[in-house]
Amino acid sequence: YRLLGKTRDDAAGEAFDKIAKLLGMPYPGGPHIERAAATGDPTRFRFSRPMVRTNARVGDDDFYDLSFSGLKTAVRLATQKVDIESERANLARGFQDALIDTLVEKTLRAARENGRTRVVLGGGVACNRTLVARMRERLAEVGATVYAPAARLATDNAAMIARAGLFRFEAGERATLALSAAASLPIPGSRSA
């Protein structure tokens, strides 16, 4: 494995959940945002695409990295100026479009720069059909095929990590009580770009 980029703050799924809460939607937020966004006006709220610069180059600190804190702030500030109830679908659309465009651009960069023709989506956000469709459309430009799990299999990362742990447990692997949970531990055998 080679780490190309990482999130500098909230992951995409966390951003979906926090914006859903802000808009008065239940948890998990992703499916509710996607449903509302389907009827939203894409021109009503046009939020900046975080860390996506047209003049970005490989080697720049932000070429592959993600950050959604500014996007969340922009949505929060927009909610303070409008009636959330009447603008919910439009706000959801603006947020979702910005987040998806960012994920798609960063993935396109990675596939293009590394000569990859297969892209695999994972995590809870992979159940977002709008993300999958846009990812497939844009990555076809570089001859890449996008693979995404069925929505029922694209669950929260915590559930997938728990399942991976169960596989290891069933295989007889055990850790000592000295094992500590740390979100930034590297994947064994991985290296930075």
Side-chain angles (χ1 to χ4, degrees), residues 6-7 9 13 39-41 44 50 67 75 90 111 116 119 135 152 179 184:
K6 59 185 182 270
T7 183
D9 43 53
T39 62
D41 178 352
R44 178 72 173 104
S67 173
V75 175
N90 298 327
R116 300 296 180 213
V119 172
M135 195 73 77
R152 68 179 186 81
L179 178 66
S184 60

Side-chain angles (χ1 to χ4, degrees), residues 46-67:
R46 176 124 172 100
F47 300 110
S48 295
R49 278 48 181 163
M51 299 178 72
V52 175
R53 296 180 294 114
T54 56
N55 65 344
R57 300 288 174 253
V58 177
D60 291 352
D61 288 346
D62 62 350
F63 191 72
Y64 296 121
D65 282 0
L66 300 163
S67 173

Side-chain angles (χ1 to χ4, degrees), residues 12 142 146:
V142 294
V146 175

Side-chain angles (χ1 to χ4, degrees), residues 92-171:
R93 178 64 183 264
F95 164 75
Q96 179 176 267
D97 284 352
L99 188 138
I100 286 175
D101 287 352
T102 301
L103 292 176
V104 169
E105 177 60 28
K106 299 294 181 149
T107 304
L108 178 65
R109 289 176 180 181
R112 181 184 295 133
E113 295 302 323
N114 294 280
R116 300 296 180 213
T117 58
R118 288 181 302 202
V119 172
V120 179
L121 303 181
V125 175
C127 74
N128 185 300
R129 297 295 101 188
T130 307
L131 168 65
V132 173
R134 287 198 199 157
M135 195 73 77
R136 286 180 172 151
E137 180 182 322
R138 282 294 306 282
L139 271 80
E141 295 174 16
V142 294
T145 303
V146 175
Y147 298 90
R152 68 179 186 81
L153 299 175
T155 60
D156 183 86
N157 276 336
M160 290 186 285
I161 290 167
R163 183 62 181 144
L166 180 60
F167 282 134
R168 289 180 176 235
F169 180 79
E170 290 171 341

